[in-house]
Structures are given as structure tokens and as C-alpha cells.
Amino acid sequence: MASKAKLRFKLAERDGPNCHICGGLMNFDRPRRKTGATVDHVIPRSQGGSNDISNLKLAHKRCNEARGDAPLGEIA
């Protein structure tokens, strides 16, 4: 798999620069901040999801952490 930065850039080109969970704009310069862009598995790996790019989307670090391995429809 490509470096994390390259993967985030590729996903942003494909899907745009917004978090797929909350819709807010992400910070690509500082991925470790709460508003930073992280790679999220649409179907979590713990539920059989793969690392294939078709199963990956961008999410804020805070949104990704809050979601954990919950299905998208069950995010609190």
C-alpha cells in the first residue's frame, strides 16, 4: 500500500476533502490533530472489511475515533 500521505491524497482526489462521517473540511497538513484527515474503513476490518481502496474513505481523526468499529448507520 502507498504511504499514508499518498493514500490520503488519492482518496481526497477521488472523494473530495471532506470527512465522510460529518461532512466537515479536514486538515491535511496536520493529520494527528482532531480535525486531521485519517483513513477510515467503511466496513471495519474487525467485521471483515478489507484494505482495498474501495473500502477506504477519509474521516476526521475525531470522527474516526468516535466511530471505532461501529457500522456507519450506528454512529452516536
Side-chain angles (χ1 to χ4, degrees):
M1 187 177 286
S3 74
K4 289 180 182 181
K6 286 182 181 179
L7 179 58
R8 286 191 301 265
F9 180 74
K10 190 172 186 176
L11 291 170
E13 280 187 320
R14 182 188 76 186
D15 301 329
N18 295 73
C19 174
H20 84 101
I21 296 173
C22 77
L25 189 61
M26 290 178 289
N27 182 339
F28 287 87
D29 295 329
R30 299 181 184 234
R32 293 189 176 160
R33 291 198 175 183
K34 293 293 182 184
T35 58
T38 62
V39 176
D40 183 40
H41 290 80
V42 176
I43 300 171
R45 292 181 63 210
S46 65
Q47 296 174 16
S50 72
N51 285 327
D52 187 80
I53 196 161
S54 65
N55 188 45
L56 303 176
K57 292 204 176 252
L58 292 175
H60 287 122
K61 183 176 187 226
R62 66 175 174 227
C63 294
N64 200 347
E65 289 174 350
R67 176 182 175 212
D69 65 353
L72 282 175
E74 297 179 15
I75 301 169

